[in-house]
Amino acid sequence: MPTKDLKIKVCGMKYSENIQELLMLQPDYVGFIFYEKSPRFITTQWAVFSSVFPTDTKKVGVFVDEDTQVMLEKVTDLGLEMVQLHGHESPQVCLELKDAGLVVMKAFRVGNDFDFEQLREYATSTDFFLFDASGPNPGGNGVRFNWELLKNYTLEVPFFLSGGIDMEHIEEIKALQLPKLYGIDLNSKFEVKPGLKDINKLKQFVEGVRG
């Protein structure tokens, strides 16, 4: 996919005014973290979700080993359009959510010994994969992995690239030859503090990648 067509997902949003500023950039996806151990855990849900989202911007709920019914309740209450699963969720859990009409993205942390074959059992129950770096937290560690490993990916499921992506990676991203790369997930490297994004920096990145 040409980088001008790459989808942009900004994850870990937390503050209403900051979200309003972000929406001016018309990102394709905005992620909200429903994991209490995360510093980006969203506690003011109703205030945040009263924001008017552009039609083409999808709201993503990020969960870690959460009960399926709890996730479905959040989806209904807050109008989420995608669920991003960052724990040890099984293909069956993914399928239950997909059967409920949701777009499902399953995240995996990629290290040098990562076995891409394990993804095969998820291929029919997920819409997207997200490949993140290994680290102490389920996500938002601010480090990247060796993107050369993604050349070992052979499935048809499109994926998002995540993990420590920063301004310095724009040209490297534009040079990637990965047929199933669908989008870029931005988080900690664009933060003033956890959950609060530097909108000008995000604007420069989006313009740089799509320019």
Side-chain angles (χ1 to χ4, degrees), residues 167-211:
M167 297 295 295
E168 66 192 51
H169 301 130
I170 289 175
E171 294 306 317
E172 191 174 351
I173 289 169
K174 292 172 80 167
L176 289 173
Q177 298 293 318
L178 299 169
K180 291 301 173 181
L181 175 60
Y182 183 81
I184 303 295
D185 184 79
L186 307 175
N187 193 346
S188 58
K189 293 297 185 180
F190 292 85
E191 287 185 328
V192 179
K193 66 178 184 179
L196 184 67
K197 300 299 190 285
D198 183 331
I199 301 301
N200 287 331
K201 188 176 179 182
L202 282 168
K203 183 174 186 288
Q204 291 173 33
F205 181 91
V206 172
E207 290 174 349
V209 167
R210 290 182 170 169

Side-chain angles (χ1 to χ4, degrees), residues 4-43:
K4 67 180 177 63
D5 297 326
L6 279 178
K7 304 300 183 183
I8 300 295
K9 176 176 174 287
V10 181
C11 200
M13 298 301 293
K14 191 172 178 178
Y15 302 101
S16 295
E17 186 175 335
N18 196 221
I19 291 166
Q20 292 286 359
E21 294 173 337
L22 172 65
L23 292 177
M24 297 294 288
L25 302 182
Q26 297 183 308
D28 300 289
Y29 301 88
V30 179
F32 303 95
I33 296 176
F34 298 96
Y35 177 57
E36 292 187 12
K37 295 181 181 180
S38 170
R40 301 171 187 87
F41 175 58
I42 186 163
T43 53

Side-chain angles (χ1 to χ4, degrees), residues 62-159:
V62 181
F63 300 94
V64 180
D65 296 321
E66 184 58 90
D67 180 78
T68 302
Q69 192 57 44
V70 171
M71 289 190 277
L72 290 174
E73 288 172 2
K74 290 289 186 190
V75 165
T76 301
D77 290 346
L78 301 172
L80 305 177
E81 294 144 298
M82 180 192 285
V83 289
Q84 177 178 325
L85 307 177
H86 245 285
H88 302 89
E89 297 85 3
S90 68
Q92 180 60 35
V93 168
C94 295
L95 189 59
E96 288 174 15
L97 293 165
K98 190 171 182 179
D99 284 347
L102 287 165
V103 178
V104 177
M105 177 155 63
K106 180 70 183 82
F108 291 90
R109 293 190 270 177
V110 179
N112 289 333
D113 58 350
F114 186 78
D115 180 11
F116 284 91
E117 276 301 304
Q118 68 182 291
L119 306 179
R120 196 169 295 279
E121 62 179 332
Y122 288 87
T124 57
S125 57
T126 59
D127 298 281
F128 301 101
F129 291 126
L130 180 142
F131 296 130
D132 199 356
S134 296
N137 303 310
N141 290 292
V143 296
R144 59 170 287 185
F145 63 94
N146 179 9
W147 295 345
E148 287 292 310
L149 295 171
L150 294 174
K151 292 180 179 178
N152 297 321
Y153 180 73
T154 59
L155 299 179
E156 291 300 309
V157 180
F159 66 86

